[in-house]
Amino acid sequence: MPELPESIQPEQALHRLIEGLRDLAALLEIDGPNPHQARALRGAADHLAASELPVETRLAQPTRVPGIGPKTADVIRHILAGGVEAARTALAITTPPSACDLLRVSGIGPKTAHALVHHHGIDSLQALHNALADGTLRTVPGFGPARIERLKRDAAVLIERQTAWPIAEVWPLAEAMGASLRRLPGVVHAEVTGGARRLLPMCPGIEVVVAETDAAEDPPSAGLDGKHTGLASLPHRAKSADAGSPPVHVIRTTPDTFALRLMETTGDDTHQQVIEGLLRQAGYEWTRAGIVDSRGVPVAVSSEADIYALIGLPYIPPELREGRGLLCPPDRLVQRVQIQGDLHVHTHWSDGSLSIVQAAAQAEALGYAYIAITDHSQSLAIAGGLTPERVWQQWEEIERVQSRTSVRILRGMEVDILADGRLDMPDELLDELDIVIASIHSAMHQPADVMTKRLLAAVRHPAVDIIGHPTGRLIGRRAAYPYDFEAVLAEAARRGVMMELNANPNRLDLSDDALRQCRAAGVLISVNTDAHHAHEFEFMAYGVRMAWRGWLTASDVLNTRPIEAVLARLHRDRQG
């Protein structure tokens, strides 16, 4: 094995190797002539990742990993010695490394990528974005107006992903980092700040404010670009931006100025400017050293709440500290303790891992009064969607489990909205369910007018209670599908159909703007985890924080209500 630089740990080298093999496989697929070698390299990456051999052994003796032969081992040696570029040269691959990202765009496979790269000179996401914007692709066969619009949306998401990271990745790392820093000698406070603290769906990195007993202030000119990075004690993966993790920024300060640094790095520019302006109106001045009164006397502030109190405001949660968030009364926001149940849960009857017994036990442990079992319907075969016969069998199990738990178990289903707007189950079965969530899982590339008609048809179906993950976005991976949200929302308001706030941090669907639109239209929200596994019940914390970003109160949220009120809402008479 080539000797690794001192700055690179074996785990980092293995991660880079695995990613390098996958990139090379993608480049070979785009090049075209050798699909067998591409499969071999992708298989080798999977074998290296799954192997239980010591990391050093996998790097030095890759042929000891089952499935890796001498030819692939040669490629591995090239990657370790000179990176992907050295291996690309050795394999005589003509496609540039930047073209790998083209395969991440939904609907672009190796053949299309080959044509883009070798016939049209489009060899990166940015080049694709530019070609879509300037009309270069309009004359290329297969790139009609609808496809071009879809590719524009998806390419924009992936381009953002090159400089920002989804909150589902950032928040757990940031929390772990804050906990690690708080355990260090001399550290008095350590808190996550920046976009992650506001639950920004895409964050430029991890930011942590650290107050140390002997710390010197960061220089006043440093700003966000001058933050200290890469403390030796930080978790290894979190500080390894070159291994695909978000960059880490640590802001060192003293205990006396901790609250100021935390506040000024949490809110967006608008929030901070408003707070500083209100302080000036009240006779105070925000300085780098601290807040002073009109005589220049320092004002002691030990918390952010103290700063807000100086201007007569209650503590503003971080999720409200952007845009017009100060207009939302924070004392009215829905609280997690007010959530009485989870109305979107999957079990091993479809693609979940829990039995109904385990799901009910999880709900009971969380203090919930009710839970809805909402497995997939039959058209989603890849997720083990239920046929009508299996639905009836599941009802029998629900009845048995109900006799042994205090949690009310609702018979539900997440039923697919098919491409033509029909629902994926017979009406007579849907009518017998306690709750029906209608969701789109396929044909997401339809034009906006078709998608609008499809969702309107679902909203108008008398059995539908809730529209699930209403825009279909996957943060950092897939753009929301286009449709006339206002028209669908107006119809939902007229018919009493609710919208879901899907709390899975990879979705957080609806967005904060859409949640405020729902609230203004009088459309009730159900905050659901869409849990498939036990730990995903904790996604409710993300959901409540997203509800704060959308200014939701308890009265705006269906599952803050007791079971009797929920059932009355689900079983209401509907307008035809």
Side-chain angles (χ1 to χ4, degrees):
M1 179 184 74
E3 187 173 345
L4 299 175
E6 289 185 7
S7 61
I8 298 180
Q9 300 297 317
E11 292 82 2
Q12 285 178 291
L14 180 64
H15 179 90
R16 292 183 185 181
L17 172 60
I18 291 169
E19 292 304 307
L21 286 168
R22 288 174 177 154
D23 286 347
L24 286 169
L27 294 176
L28 282 166
E29 287 176 333
I30 295 172
D31 254 21
N34 198 341
H36 300 295
Q37 188 168 22
R39 285 194 291 271
L41 294 185
R42 185 166 283 111
D46 294 340
H47 295 321
L48 283 168
S51 174
E52 295 182 0
L53 289 172
V55 171
E56 292 79 1
T57 302
R58 283 179 268 175
L59 293 171
Q61 305 174 60
T63 54
R64 289 186 58 186
V65 176
I68 295 180
K71 289 184 179 180
T72 302
D74 284 340
V75 176
I76 288 172
R77 280 187 281 272
H78 282 297
I79 295 174
L80 292 174
V84 170
E85 186 58 30
R88 188 175 77 95
T89 301
L91 293 170
I93 296 173
T94 60
T95 300
S98 59
C100 288
D101 289 335
L102 295 175
L103 296 181
R104 296 172 57 206
V105 181
S106 177
I108 293 183
K111 290 183 179 180
T112 300
H114 179 90
L116 290 173
V117 173
H118 296 288
H119 298 162
H120 303 286
I122 298 169
D123 59 5
S124 68
L125 276 177
Q126 189 61 54
L128 175 64
H129 174 78
N130 295 342
L132 291 167
D134 64 21
T136 299
L137 292 176
R138 288 176 189 163
T139 59
V140 176
F143 285 87
R147 188 182 190 192
I148 285 176
E149 289 305 311
R150 172 173 59 80
L151 290 174
K152 281 182 181 179
R153 293 191 301 272
D154 289 342
V157 169
L158 295 175
I159 287 173
E160 182 185 20
R161 184 65 179 83
Q162 294 178 336
T163 57
W165 281 258
I167 190 66
E169 180 179 350
V170 168
W171 184 252
L173 287 173
E175 278 201 307
M177 187 169 306
S180 295
L181 288 168
R182 282 190 286 273
R183 290 193 292 268
L184 294 179
V187 171
V188 181
H189 306 290
E191 294 294 339
V192 178
T193 187
R197 193 173 181 225
R198 301 200 308 271
L199 200 72
L200 205 62
M202 292 290 291
C203 301
I206 294 172
E207 300 178 69
V208 185
V209 180
V210 178
E212 303 169 77
T213 52
D214 298 323
E217 273 283 312
D218 280 344
S221 61
L224 294 181
D225 294 330
K227 296 172 182 176
H228 295 267
T229 61
L231 296 183
S233 56
L234 294 181
H236 170 71
R237 180 167 178 259
K239 65 177 180 178
S240 180
D242 61 349
S245 294
V248 175
H249 303 281
V250 177
I251 305 151
R252 299 176 63 212
T253 189
T254 63
D256 289 345
T257 56
F258 175 77
L260 278 78
R261 300 291 86 81
L262 184 61
M263 176 177 277
E264 70 185 8
T265 56
T266 294
D268 70 357
D269 289 343
T270 298
H271 184 85
Q272 186 63 21
Q273 289 166 8
V274 169
I275 295 302
E276 291 184 22
L278 291 173
L279 282 168
R280 282 193 292 273
Q281 291 178 21
Y284 301 100
E285 191 69 29
W286 183 300
T287 74
R288 181 73 186 176
I291 295 175
V292 297
D293 65 16
S294 57
R295 298 167 298 167
V297 177
V299 178
V301 289
S302 60
S303 68
E304 293 175 309
D306 290 346
I307 299 173
Y308 286 116
L310 290 174
I311 50 179
L313 290 177
Y315 174 79
I316 307 297
E319 293 80 4
L320 291 180
R321 298 186 202 176
E322 58 183 58
R324 299 166 60 246
L326 280 171
L327 300 179
C328 175
D331 58 332
R332 297 187 59 202
L333 293 173
V334 62
Q335 301 297 313
R336 187 174 180 183
V337 295
Q338 295 175 298
I339 300 294
Q340 299 199 38
D342 196 334
L343 296 174
H344 188 166
V345 175
H346 295 271
T347 71
H348 64 194
W349 280 82
S350 62
D351 61 344
S353 65
L354 300 176
S355 66
I356 295 174
V357 170
Q358 291 170 323
Q362 197 71 25
E364 192 166 359
L366 290 169
Y368 288 161
Y370 48 86
I371 189 175
I373 303 299
T374 53
D375 282 303
H376 292 289
S377 60
Q378 57 193 347
S379 71
L380 208 61
I382 194 171
L386 274 60
T387 62
E389 292 74 22
R390 293 190 69 221
V391 172
W392 297 326
Q393 293 168 9
Q394 186 186 63
W395 290 353
E396 294 174 358
E397 182 173 336
I398 289 174
E399 187 175 356
R400 291 193 297 271
V401 175
Q402 185 65 84
S403 66
R404 308 200 302 271
T405 179
S406 61
V407 174
R408 175 66 181 272
I409 305 173
L410 302 185
R411 303 185 312 185
M413 172 164 280
E414 184 180 17
V415 60
D416 264 37
I417 305 171
L418 301 176
D420 60 2
R422 291 180 299 114
L423 298 186
D424 182 36
M425 277 290 169
D427 287 354
E428 56 268 24
L429 185 148
L430 295 175
D431 290 342
E432 293 190 53
L433 290 165
D434 296 318
I435 180 172
V436 174
I437 299 174
S439 304
I440 288 176
H441 291 106
S442 61
M444 286 179 274
H445 301 319
Q446 292 177 326
D449 58 338
V450 176
M451 191 68 79
T452 301
K453 292 176 183 176
R454 185 176 173 188
L455 282 158
L456 285 172
V459 167
R460 290 167 180 155
H461 193 289
V464 171
D465 297 296
I466 299 169
I467 300 298
H469 40 76
T471 73
R473 76 170 180 179
L474 292 175
I475 297 170
R477 291 161 53 196
R478 183 175 72 207
Y481 37 72
Y483 66 96
D484 188 339
F485 182 73
E486 289 77 11
V488 172
L489 195 61
E491 189 68 11
R494 190 173 82 83
R495 294 177 179 271
V497 172
M498 296 165 279
M499 292 285 178
E500 177 180 68
L501 165 49
N502 191 294
N504 186 308
N506 295 291
R507 291 186 182 273
L508 296 180
D509 186 7
L510 293 165
S511 69
D512 45 12
D513 287 338
L515 289 170
R516 286 191 285 273
Q517 285 180 270
C518 289
R519 188 168 187 264
V523 172
L524 206 58
I525 299 294
S526 184
V527 183
N528 302 326
T529 64
D530 195 359
H532 288 67
H533 311 286
H535 73 276
E536 293 180 354
F537 278 82
E538 294 300 329
F539 288 168
M540 191 61 75
Y542 288 102
V544 171
R545 291 178 65 194
M546 195 66 188
W548 291 356
R549 287 181 62 87
W551 302 9
L552 299 188
T553 69
S555 62
D556 299 318
V557 177
L558 172 67
N559 44 325
T560 60
R561 305 181 181 192
I563 184 59
E564 296 79 14
V566 170
L567 289 173
R569 188 68 178 73
L570 296 172
H571 294 163
R572 73 201 180 287
D573 292 331
R574 306 209 179 167
Q575 301 177 43

